[in-house]
């Protein structure tokens, strides 16, 4: 494929993607096939001779699309949003074309510097404490990780390294293995209380407010909810972040930035660099001691990294803060609409307070009854839900996920659920 054909095929692909997304609700949201379906549809070995682009695109519809769960369908209500927008897709195209591997400032200065500035932009949208903002003189800063799991692991490893060094500073003879055996990490099961919400003030009062005499590292993971904190009405839920040593959330869940893009901030970047610093001679450069230079390989587990900040830059500029807030508020409103439909039907109950874009609900009755209902919903392939367990109860989750979800989709989804419920309750065993 030369440049001329790439231009032609690229335009065709943009049309294909636009058509796919514009008509995605026409496709069954969940695939109807058995494990192993794909192997019989393609050869057992790679082709010895080149094949045409037309043949490949025919097989996209024949082989790939039948096995796709359509995460961006307005009838997809499972898990959490997998954010996407046209500006983010265009930015990812540019990221792929540039193809830099940004393990150091010298490897591509724009890749590093735009990330630092975008993380400051995003931190200011969230009204994070000043110590998380890198600026030009700050001691903290932000970095884009792949996932929230990765960010949490980075925090745990940095906290462990800091604790070990603190102990060894006063007892240099103590072996590292013995120190490891005495370290403790505190976490929550589902958060806390009967409402399944976390009340950070209780934790802070118990562990942190008396001067944090135990020198504990506090990490906050707001993977899904963090995006909502750009809205003033939701920002109070983040109160207490000033006591944290690190904080992360996923713009790729709810902020219109496609996967992967997990935003992580640290109060003191020296803590994370101290745990992961990697300085072989071939990666050193003459500007690395400058106070204005960040080498992000010291902030992550992989050595290489993509130019992911382009997605943030495009989305922030093309939506603006007001557009991003409107997106969040619209989806919260849709969740509230679904909640009202559930509450109006006495056969159902709401299982946790609806604060953002997630509704946890169930049929009044046994876990088996709700398992049967979910099985019918899944087999119907008109909408897609997944369950969770709250206080030993089997609960259905209804998450507003797709950017294109509208009220009519919510109404149609509820109609489908109630129709299946009616059929289920007509059976003698129920």
């Amino acid at each position: 494929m030369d440049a001329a054909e790439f231009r032609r095929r690229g335009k065709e692909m943009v049309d294909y993607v636009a058509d796919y997304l514009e008509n995605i609700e026409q496709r069954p949201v969940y695939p109807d096939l058995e494990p192993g379906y794909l192997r019989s549809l393609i050869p057992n070995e790679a082709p010895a001779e080149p094949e045409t682009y037309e043949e490949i695109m025919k097989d996209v519809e024949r082989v790939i699309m039948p096995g796709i769960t359509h995460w961006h369908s307005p009838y997809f209500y499972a898990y959490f949003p997998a954010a996407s927008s046209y500006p983010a897709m265009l930015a990812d195209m540019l990221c792929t074309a540039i193809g830099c591997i940004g393990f150091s400032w010298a490897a591509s200065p724009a890749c590093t510097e735009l990330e630092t500035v975008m993380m400051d932009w995003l931190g200011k949208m969230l009204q994070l404490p000043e110590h998380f903002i890198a600026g030009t003189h700050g001691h903290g800063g932000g970095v884009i990780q792949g996932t929230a799991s990765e960010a949490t692991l980075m925090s745990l490893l940095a906290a462990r390294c800091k604790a070990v060094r603190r102990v060894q500073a006063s007892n240099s003879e103590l072996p590292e293995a013995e120190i490891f055996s005495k370290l403790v990490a505190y976490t929550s099961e589902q958060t806390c209380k009967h409402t399944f919400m976390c009340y950070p003030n209780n934790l802070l009062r118990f562990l942190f407010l008396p001067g944090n005499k135990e020198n504990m590292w506090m990490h906050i993971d707001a993977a899904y909810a963090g995006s909502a904190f750009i809205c003033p009405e939701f920002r109070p839920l983040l109160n207490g972040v000033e006591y944290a040593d690190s904080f992360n959330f996923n713009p790729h869940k709810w902020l219109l930035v496609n996967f992967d893009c997990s935003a992580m901030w640290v109060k003191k970047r020296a803590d994370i660099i101290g745990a992961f610093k990697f300085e072989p001679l071939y990666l050193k450069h003459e500007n690395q001691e400058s106070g204005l230079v960040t080498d992000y390989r010291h902030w992550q587990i992989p050595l290489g990294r993509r130019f992911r900040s382009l997605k943030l830059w495009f989305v922030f500029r093309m939506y603006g803060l007001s557009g991003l807030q409107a997106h969040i508020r619209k989806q919260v409103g849709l969740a509230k609409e679904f909640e009202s439909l559930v509450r109006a039907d006495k056969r159902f109950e709401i299982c946790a307070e609806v604060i953002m874009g997630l509704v946890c609900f169930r049929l009044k009755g046994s876990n088996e009854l709700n398992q049967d209902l979910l099985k019918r919903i899944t087999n119907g392939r008109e909408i897609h839900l997944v369950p969770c367990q709250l206080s030993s109860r089997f609960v259905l989750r209804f998450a507003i996920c797709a950017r294109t979800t509208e009220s009519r989709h919510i109404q149609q989804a509820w109609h489908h659920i109630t129709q299946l419920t009616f059929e289920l309750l007509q059976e003698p065993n129920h």
Side-chain angles (χ1 to χ4, degrees):
M1 182 180 287
D2 57 17
E5 186 180 2
F6 175 71
R7 290 178 189 276
R8 185 170 77 257
R9 300 306 189 187
K11 291 171 184 175
E12 290 175 5
M13 181 59 78
V14 169
D15 284 340
Y16 179 87
V17 170
D19 289 341
Y20 166 72
L21 292 173
E22 281 192 326
N23 300 295
I24 195 170
E25 64 183 271
Q26 309 299 324
R27 298 177 183 261
V29 66
Y30 191 71
D32 183 12
L33 43 77
E34 297 296 325
Y37 88 96
L38 189 144
R39 183 172 289 275
S40 65
L41 298 178
I42 61 176
N44 288 328
E45 297 177 356
E49 301 297 328
E51 297 185 38
T52 66
Y53 183 79
E54 287 86 356
E55 289 175 311
I56 295 170
M57 288 306 297
K58 284 180 182 177
D59 279 350
V60 168
E61 284 296 331
R62 182 181 70 89
V63 178
I64 303 302
M65 285 301 173
I68 294 293
T69 299
H70 297 285
W71 280 61
H72 301 288
S73 167
Y75 297 116
F76 182 90
Y77 306 107
Y79 311 110
F80 283 109
S84 181
S85 66
Y86 293 122
M89 287 184 234
L90 292 174
D92 241 5
M93 288 175 63
L94 181 57
C95 167
T96 301
I98 292 173
C100 63
I101 311 298
F103 47 73
S104 71
W105 179 88
S108 198
C111 179
T112 292
E113 296 200 10
L114 185 65
E115 182 163 339
T116 303
V117 176
M118 288 303 98
M119 292 301 292
D120 279 0
W121 278 19
L122 185 52
K124 291 173 182 177
M125 289 183 196
L126 298 166
Q127 300 177 46
L128 290 183
E130 188 66 27
H131 55 244
F132 284 121
I133 307 300
T136 55
H137 302 291
H139 296 290
V143 58
I144 299 174
Q145 304 286 1
T147 64
S149 306
E150 192 177 334
T152 300
L153 176 61
M154 291 293 297
S155 298
L156 281 167
L157 294 176
R160 185 182 71 174
C161 180
K162 186 176 182 180
V164 168
R165 290 179 179 178
R166 186 174 64 247
V167 173
Q168 288 182 329
S170 58
N171 190 346
S172 59
E173 302 300 318
L174 199 62
E176 198 173 75
E178 186 174 341
I179 299 172
F180 283 167
S181 70
K182 298 181 184 300
L183 296 178
V184 177
Y186 295 89
T187 186
S188 52
E189 184 179 359
Q190 299 216 40
T191 58
C192 318
K193 302 279 188 178
H194 63 280
T195 60
F196 309 104
M197 293 176 59
C198 183
Y199 294 90
N201 288 340
N202 295 339
L203 181 64
L204 293 169
R205 190 177 301 114
F206 181 63
L207 296 174
F208 295 97
L209 289 185
N212 191 8
K213 62 182 180 180
E214 301 298 332
N215 291 309
M216 298 180 70
W217 182 296
M218 180 181 178
H219 176 70
I220 297 175
D221 176 7
Y224 161 70
S227 296
F229 301 151
I230 66 170
C231 299
E233 63 269 33
F234 295 116
R235 178 55 180 78
L237 294 169
L238 192 57
N239 288 349
V241 70
E242 60 270 21
Y243 299 104
D245 296 276
S246 53
F247 165 71
N248 78 272
F249 83 99
N250 292 341
H252 67 231
K253 277 195 170 76
W254 208 9
L255 210 59
L256 298 173
V257 178
N258 48 300
F259 189 86
D260 58 339
C261 185
S262 185
M264 175 187 180
W265 290 265
V266 290
K267 182 183 292 186
K268 295 179 181 178
R269 57 178 175 263
D271 289 339
I272 199 166
I273 293 171
F276 296 94
K277 193 167 186 178
F278 179 59
E279 284 284 42
L281 180 61
Y282 60 87
L283 294 181
K284 291 184 178 181
H285 55 91
E286 61 183 5
N287 293 300
Q288 68 182 31
E289 301 304 325
S290 167
L292 297 177
V293 166
T294 298
D295 285 344
Y296 277 122
R297 71 177 180 277
H298 305 314
W299 297 56
Q300 62 178 22
I301 293 172
L303 176 62
R305 60 203 337 269
R306 298 187 302 115
F307 199 167
R308 290 176 291 202
S309 57
L310 281 171
K311 295 185 287 191
L312 294 173
W313 197 42
F314 274 46
V315 169
F316 292 168
R317 294 183 67 184
M318 295 194 74
Y319 278 91
L321 178 58
S322 62
L324 295 172
Q325 289 171 334
H327 170 68
I328 298 291
R329 288 166 177 153
K330 174 185 175 182
Q331 296 212 325
V332 172
L334 291 172
K336 290 291 186 181
E337 179 179 349
F338 184 79
E339 178 192 14
S340 67
L341 293 171
V342 176
R343 290 191 182 279
D345 191 322
K346 300 305 180 184
R347 298 172 297 178
F348 289 87
E349 59 182 329
I350 296 292
C351 303
E353 184 180 356
V354 178
I355 299 175
M356 296 183 186
L358 173 66
V359 182
C360 293
F361 73 107
R362 71 194 303 273
L363 265 174
K364 293 175 181 176
S366 67
N367 285 344
E368 291 73 23
L369 180 66
N370 284 276
Q371 289 166 355
D372 285 350
L373 175 58
L374 180 60
K375 185 176 182 179
R376 288 168 182 256
I377 291 171
T378 301
N379 291 340
R381 293 179 171 80
E382 289 191 25
I383 63 174
H384 190 42
L385 309 181
V386 292
C388 66
Q389 185 168 302
L390 300 177
S391 298
S392 76
R393 295 195 301 169
F394 187 89
V395 172
L396 307 184
R397 297 171 72 263
F398 189 95
I400 309 299
C401 292
R403 174 178 52 85
T404 55
T405 305
E406 301 287 350
S407 175
R408 64 182 177 87
H409 301 115
I410 302 299
Q411 298 287 337
Q412 189 167 334
W414 179 243
H415 174 74
H416 181 61
I417 291 170
T418 55
Q419 186 176 28
L420 292 177
T421 299
F422 176 79
E423 295 171 3
L424 175 64
L425 295 179
Q426 294 302 304
E427 294 184 355
N429 57 326
H430 294 304

